[in-house]
């Protein structure tokens, strides 16, 4: 894993912290998730953006390992959401796949994410444009992969911490 850049800006009046990383394999993506888990606490919202096969669920699997939650973290595409309780007294991991949900927060309300958020780490795949209103603070992870007929596993990952919660937080895993 290579860190390319990190900065802090506040162009919209909302503090943001950004880091850009290059991940070379699915194993490194899972390792990134384990490392990011060390930064997370109850009440954190993590939005994952990336095309199919980018590594969103692989990253979430690493988050689950790092948080010490129960159950195999797999894509919740057909069940929409899964709750993985902590085995170590930490926050539960609520893993949501909003791919099949068309609307914004109104459609997400049936999942009661606002109720789960204060005590859990909520990870939403395909959540951009749908869950931002849940909280002023969130970690937005954008995963870009090489497209076309290639066996290149490299991913460019942009981590953006939005809001006061992420102000001054070093997003580059050590």
């Amino acid at each position: 894993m290579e860190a390319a850049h990190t900065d802090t800006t506040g162009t919209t009046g909302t503090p943001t912290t950004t880091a850009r990383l290059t991940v070379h394999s699915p194993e490194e993506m899972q390792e990134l998730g384990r490392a990011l888990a060390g930064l997370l606490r109850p009440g954190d919202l993590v939005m994952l953006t990336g095309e199919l096969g980018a590594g969103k669920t692989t990253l979430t699997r690493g988050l689950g390992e790092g948080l010490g939650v129960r159950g195999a973290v797999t894509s919740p595409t057909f069940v929409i959401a899964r709750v993985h309780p902590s085995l170590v007294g930490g926050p539960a991991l609520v893993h949501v796949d909003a791919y099949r949900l068309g609307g914004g927060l109104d459609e997400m309300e049936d999942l009661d994410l606002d109720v789960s958020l204060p005590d859990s780490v909520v990870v939403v795949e395909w959540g951009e444009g749908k869950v931002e209103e849940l909280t002023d603070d969130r970690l937005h992870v954008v995963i870009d992969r090489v497209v076309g007929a290639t066996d290149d596993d490299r991913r460019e990952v942009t981590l953006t911490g939005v809001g006061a919660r992420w102000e001054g937080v070093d997003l580059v895993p050590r």
Side-chain angles (χ1 to χ4, degrees):
M1 204 171 347
E2 304 163 20
H5 182 308
T6 183
D7 67 320
T8 303
T9 59
T11 58
T12 63
T14 301
T16 61
T17 302
T18 303
R20 291 173 184 80
L21 309 165
T22 300
V23 175
H24 298 95
S25 67
E27 295 77 22
E28 279 191 14
M29 186 65 77
Q30 201 162 334
E31 179 183 320
L32 174 60
R34 284 190 297 271
L36 289 175
L39 300 177
L40 298 175
R41 61 186 186 207
D44 282 343
L45 172 64
V46 181
M47 289 179 8
L48 302 180
T49 301
E51 61 188 73
L52 290 170
K56 297 178 297 295
T57 300
T58 301
L59 179 80
T60 306
R61 190 171 298 119
L63 288 172
E65 289 175 7
L67 291 170
V69 300
R70 184 180 73 211
V73 175
T74 59
S75 179
T77 299
F78 298 104
V79 295
I80 309 298
R82 282 196 175 93
V83 177
H84 299 274
S86 176
L87 295 171
V88 295
L93 172 67
V94 178
H95 184 197
V96 179
D97 187 328
Y99 183 75
R100 296 182 347 187
L101 302 178
L105 193 57
D106 291 342
E107 194 167 339
M108 300 293 284
E109 281 183 357
D110 289 340
L111 300 175
D112 288 332
L113 294 181
D114 54 337
V115 174
S116 301
L117 189 57
D119 300 320
S120 306
V121 170
V122 176
V123 176
V124 183
E125 297 186 28
W126 306 97
E128 191 170 12
K130 298 175 183 172
V131 296
E132 289 90 339
E133 294 176 32
L134 282 173
T135 178
D136 292 334
D137 302 307
R138 63 192 164 278
L139 179 61
H140 189 182
V141 180
V142 178
I143 305 170
D144 292 307
R145 68 179 180 95
V146 178
V147 293
T150 179
D151 60 357
D152 190 343
D153 284 336
R154 191 170 23 116
R155 306 291 195 260
E156 300 300 325
V157 180
T158 304
L159 306 165
T160 304
V162 177
R165 153 71 177 98
W166 296 100
E167 195 170 3
V169 174
D170 185 359
L171 297 175
V172 177
R174 305 284 177 222

